[in-house]
Amino acid sequence: MATSKMNVLVYSGNGSTIESVRHCLYSLRRLLSPNYAVIPVTGDIIIKEPWSSSCALLVFPGGADLGYCRTLNGEGNRRITEYVQRGGSYLGLCAGGYYGSKRVEFEVGNRKLEVVGNRELAFFPGTCRGSAFPGFVYHSEDGAKAVELKVNNAVLSGGTVPSIFRSYFNGGGVFVDAEEYKDRGVDVLATFNQSIAVDGGKGAAAAVHCKVGEGRAILTGPHPEFAAVNLDPKADGPDFPKIINAIAADDQQRTDFLKAILIKLGLTVSQETNAVPSLSRLHLSSFQSSEVTSLLSSLKDVITNEHGGEYIRGANDVFHLHRSSVSSWPSLTSLVSALPGVKSEEDVETDEEPPAEGDRLALDYDKIIKQVQTHETEWPGCKETPYFNHHAYYGNLRHYQAASKVDGRFGRNLLYGEVVTSTNTMLEKNHSLLEKLPTGFTSTATVQIAGRGRGSNVWVSPAGSLMFSTVIRHPIEVSQKAPIIFVQYLVALAIVEGVRNYDAGYGPVGAKVRLKWPNDIYAEDPNGPRNGERRYVKIGGILVNSSTSGGESLLVVGCGLNTTNPSPTTSLNALLPSHLPAFTLEKLLARILTSFEALYEHFCARGWSLDLERKYHEYWLHTDQIITLTTTSPPTRCRILGLTRDYGLLRAAELGWEDRATGKMWELQSDANSFDFLRGLVGRKVS
């Protein structure tokens, strides 16, 4: 089974600063979406999880590299080095550049700031010496500068590469005598175009490219990932506004340089800068429009009246309900209060538009008041929701419900937004609202800007993905017969069956969609086998969050499925033969929800039955798969047999000499890693 390298991992653990991580995420998501998921990761993940097989780029941002050493020296650095030497890519920015060098010499002679010592990664075989310019102060802009960089166009390609540009700088180093290491695979990508405060040896290398085994590393002293739009002119330093203006003036050149180094690292870069979009209005509708009024009545305990408007104030989000068709933008005050470092003020509705995309700081989207248009008399029209046809959705839902003979609860109430933070977060993180929502209430979107995966994974989910989250109120008394752990398997089954039963002739397409335990959706690679081996690539994932309220478990079942978007891996439409019409998001959502409801009703009545077990085994990728338990000493080889009927764990037979069964059985569960659930399994011997 092939694994597509679609993750860009940004280190956010000990030693990194919040600001540097934030700048990395902002800039990389703008340039790499929708081809990659840009994800923050901790030191524990690097040390313990099998992240390398799906990692296209590992990024170490600014901060203090001694913190990196304390966390990663030894096993962490061994794994990073192995990843790069085997063909991986490393990008070290400022502190990450120091960390990737063989030796660090920082502020030598300054007793408060001096850091001197060797480093384990040693991608650059020499010394990184800094600060290249004087005045550095930790956690301050006092020493910040807009430094001029001269680019070596001979070794960079991809789009328009600038000759000279100004970049944000604060404490970075120079790569000493970098030109002398050319025979060891080092190329100078850019030099400081002004006098520096330390001895840089031959040249004044500000950014270098280092060949490391089959892989590569790019290290920089300045911060080409820092966009002026994300810098605060009110920060420390009397000249900082002038510095921001200088960086802003060269923003296009800075962006082009950043694109060029990403291409140099082997990534596919969007030549059109993908701005993180603004949040859109949400639209609340129901199967019968009059049911919206009933739904709002059931929410009366969480609706407050403020300044003549109706609000729902959840723990994570605030929703402003609009019962008329009058359109209004989010208030300018609420947008300002969402900026980093600005305290929230009272929300005052205005007719002002939000700042233009290019003028907007990186917002804390959770602080922006979500505007909800309620549709109590008719469904939203195509002009209101041009990327989602409510009439098509409800028409297909009615058709599939009649054919499936279900109660008709799943998808009956729909909250849709063209651009949202996360369909899961809006429900699961606002518990007072969640407690009032009925089973089957579904949130969906065209684009997510903070889509959630397992653990702390967050990324922009592009248009073309089917993204939805559905509420289930699962009675506690049913849980003994129908444990909630199996709900993730039910929605996985619903996705496969939804594709197979989408319409006449789609069965062979659905046969190419398979399940990877415990919560991933894979499809046959439309590019065909490689070396005679059938290849599968990930096209979707499932996330189930649970909480309790009274005598019920409140579940939010989230799903993302590549449907019409070919990136970052492939999509359902890429699997279609030429004679079949393309999938539409509205019809597929209706089909999956009715399949899910039928499976859930069966599950509540009969539990994880033999029929459900048979279907799951038919669709999954793991029948008779041999795995190795690396958490035992010595490692133990096992053959997967299926799932346990009580807790949904993997059931496996231990193998001995020549892979013959020993008669011993294991029950296996994931160690909660986010990248490959069939590595790092932990288990207990049960017989």
Side-chain angles (χ1 to χ4, degrees):
M1 179 166 45
T3 302
S4 178
K5 294 195 172 188
M6 56 177 285
N7 292 327
V8 172
L9 308 182
V10 178
Y11 177 76
S12 61
N14 185 28
S16 66
T17 66
I18 293 174
E19 285 298 299
S20 291
V21 171
R22 182 171 68 92
H23 279 280
C24 272
L25 296 177
Y26 175 85
S27 292
L28 293 177
R29 284 172 177 165
R30 285 169 62 90
L31 297 181
L32 298 177
S33 176
N35 298 302
Y36 304 92
V38 182
I39 305 169
V41 293
T42 63
D44 278 348
I45 287 175
I46 289 176
I47 293 169
K48 298 177 181 179
E49 296 188 7
W51 50 270
S52 60
S53 61
S54 59
C55 179
L57 174 66
L58 179 63
V59 182
F60 271 69
D65 97 311
L66 279 179
Y68 303 167
C69 295
R70 294 187 189 102
T71 299
L72 298 170
N73 274 357
E75 177 61 15
N77 287 335
R78 185 195 66 77
R79 299 182 99 202
I80 294 171
T81 301
E82 182 179 84
Y83 158 72
V84 177
Q85 288 180 338
R86 292 182 176 180
S89 295
Y90 173 99
L91 175 60
L93 303 161
C94 196
Y98 283 114
Y99 191 57
S101 301
K102 183 176 181 180
R103 182 171 174 81
V104 170
E105 294 180 2
F106 180 74
E107 292 295 309
V108 176
N110 184 329
R111 290 194 298 175
K112 291 184 178 180
L113 296 178
E114 181 178 282
V115 177
V116 176
N118 294 334
R119 296 294 183 261
E120 293 179 349
L121 295 181
F123 297 144
F124 175 65
T127 297
C128 184
R129 182 176 293 150
S131 173
F133 296 92
F136 174 76
V137 178
Y138 275 113
H139 308 298
S140 170
E141 302 291 3
D142 283 344
K145 290 177 173 55
V147 298
E148 192 171 82
L149 302 180
K150 184 176 181 180
V151 180
N152 184 358
N153 299 80
V155 295
L156 283 176
S157 61
T160 303
V161 182
S163 298
I164 293 177
F165 73 99
R166 286 167 292 184
S167 173
Y168 176 87
F169 174 95
N170 198 356
V174 59
F175 300 94
V176 179
D177 288 325
E179 294 179 7
E180 301 293 328
Y181 296 104
K182 188 172 182 61
D183 60 346
R184 297 176 64 176
V186 175
D187 287 316
V188 175
L189 303 181
T191 56
F192 292 111
N193 202 37
Q194 56 207 92
S195 298
I196 58 177
V198 295
D199 181 6
K202 185 177 181 180
V208 294
H209 173 271
C210 309
K211 187 70 177 152
V212 184
E214 297 178 5
R216 69 209 93 185
I218 288 180
L219 313 178
T220 74
H223 284 278
E225 81 284 12
F226 272 44
V229 71
N230 285 331
L231 295 170
D232 183 2
K234 297 179 181 178
D236 299 335
D239 295 328
F240 197 52
K242 295 179 181 178
I243 293 170
I244 294 176
N245 291 336
I247 296 169
D250 287 359
D251 189 67
Q252 185 59 55
Q253 294 93 321
R254 176 197 65 83
T255 301
D256 289 340
F257 178 76
L258 188 56
K259 287 181 181 179
I261 65 175
L262 291 171
I263 292 171
K264 185 79 172 176
L265 288 167
L267 278 76
T268 301
V269 176
S270 173
Q271 290 304 317
E272 294 295 325
T273 301
N274 292 301
V276 178
S278 300
L279 297 182
S280 67
R281 177 173 291 247
L282 302 170
H283 295 268
L284 179 63
S285 62
S286 291
F287 190 83
Q288 299 290 340
S289 294
S290 59
E291 295 175 12
V292 175
T293 303
S294 299
L295 176 62
L296 291 171
S297 179
S298 71
L299 299 177
K300 64 180 184 299
D301 291 342
V302 295
I303 296 176
T304 60
N305 288 287
E306 306 171 33
H307 314 295
E310 292 182 307
Y311 293 81
I312 297 174
R313 293 190 176 273
N316 192 77
D317 297 283
V318 177
F319 302 92
H320 182 186
L321 304 180
H322 297 265
R323 301 227 187 184
S324 68
S325 59
V326 178
S327 177
S328 66
W329 285 98
S331 72
L332 195 61
T333 304
S334 71
L335 282 165
V336 171
S337 68
L339 300 176
V342 180
K343 293 184 179 180
S344 178
E345 298 181 15
E346 182 179 61
D347 175 45
V348 180
E349 293 298 312
T350 76
D351 293 327
E352 298 287 342
E353 291 192 0
E357 192 66 50
D359 300 327
R360 200 159 42 90
L361 296 180
L363 301 174
D364 182 349
Y365 288 98
D366 290 336
K367 292 183 179 179
I368 296 178
I369 294 176
K370 314 304 184 292
Q371 311 294 322
V372 182
Q373 179 70 55
T374 65
H375 296 267
E376 300 174 65
T377 58
E378 59 182 357
W379 295 326
C382 290
K383 289 186 178 180
E384 293 175 282
T385 59
Y387 296 100
F388 190 87
N389 188 325
H390 283 77
H391 291 261
Y393 165 72
Y394 283 117
N396 281 293
L397 188 68
R398 178 182 291 110
H399 167 73
Y400 289 135
Q401 285 177 347
S404 302
K405 298 180 180 179
V406 294
D407 290 342
R409 296 181 294 169
F410 284 37
R412 191 174 190 89
N413 299 296
L414 190 73
L415 182 67
Y416 165 77
E418 183 180 326
V419 181
V420 306
T421 50
S422 161
T423 60
N424 248 52
T425 297
M426 288 193 299
L427 301 179
E428 189 256 333
K429 294 295 184 183
N430 297 294
H431 192 74
S432 60
L433 171 62
L434 178 62
E435 285 184 311
K436 302 294 183 181
L437 296 176
T439 286
F441 184 97
T442 297
S443 172
T444 189
T446 299
V447 174
Q448 291 185 136
I449 59 175
R452 292 177 61 198
R454 209 167 190 269
S456 60
N457 294 351
V458 179
W459 57 84
V460 175
S461 303
S465 296
L466 175 60
M467 297 163 279
F468 69 92
S469 299
T470 298
V471 175
I472 295 178
R473 308 180 72 94
H474 192 68
I476 296 295
E477 62 267 20
V478 176
S479 296
Q480 186 171 359
K481 175 174 60 177
I484 61 174
I485 188 66
F486 287 96
V487 172
Q488 63 184 326
Y489 306 146
L490 294 178
V491 70
L493 284 174
I495 290 168
V496 177
E497 294 200 340
V499 174
R500 291 190 174 204
N501 301 318
Y502 178 81
D503 212 333
Y506 285 77
V509 180
K512 297 179 181 180
V513 180
R514 308 297 290 276
L515 308 179
K516 182 183 176 187
W517 180 86
N519 52 12
D520 284 338
I521 312 298
Y522 273 63
E524 284 188 26
D525 189 337
N527 295 319
R530 179 180 295 177
N531 299 325
E533 179 186 358
R534 182 177 294 177
R535 290 163 43 87
Y536 290 91
V537 293
K538 182 176 177 178
I539 62 167
I542 296 160
L543 177 67
V544 180
N545 295 105
S546 65
S547 58
T548 58
S549 177
E552 297 176 311
S553 293
L554 301 180
L555 309 181
V556 178
V557 182
C559 175
L561 183 67
N562 291 354
T563 304
T564 67
N565 55 308
S567 297
T569 54
T570 189
S571 67
L572 290 178
N573 277 350
L575 305 177
L576 289 171
S578 58
H579 67 279
L580 287 179
F583 288 97
T584 67
L585 299 179
E586 298 89 345
K587 185 173 180 178
L588 184 59
L589 176 60
R591 175 70 277 189
I592 289 174
L593 286 174
T594 49
S595 296
F596 188 20
E597 185 169 10
L599 290 164
Y600 179 70
E601 289 178 358
H602 174 103
F603 176 63
C604 288
R606 299 175 55 188
W608 186 250
S609 65
L610 290 174
D611 184 49
L612 292 176
E613 183 178 55
R614 176 190 58 77
K615 286 183 178 181
Y616 191 81
H617 289 169
E618 178 185 348
Y619 300 155
W620 80 339
L621 288 165
H622 309 302
T623 300
D624 292 330
Q625 181 177 352
I626 294 178
I627 59 173
T628 300
L629 302 183
T630 57
T631 53
T632 62
S633 183
T636 304
R637 285 172 64 81
C638 294
R639 187 186 306 277
I640 296 176
L641 302 179
L643 297 176
T644 65
R645 303 291 298 281
D646 48 4
Y647 298 114
L649 306 179
L650 281 184
R651 186 165 53 88
E654 183 177 291
L655 302 177
W657 179 254
E658 295 183 341
D659 284 343
R660 296 177 181 176
T662 65
K664 297 176 181 178
M665 302 296 295
W666 286 79
E667 292 181 356
L668 310 174
Q669 62 183 5
S670 166
D671 67 350
N673 78 72
S674 309
F675 300 95
D676 191 341
F677 291 98
L678 291 182
R679 300 184 185 184
L681 291 168
V682 296
R684 62 186 181 95
K685 195 180 298 183
V686 294
S687 64

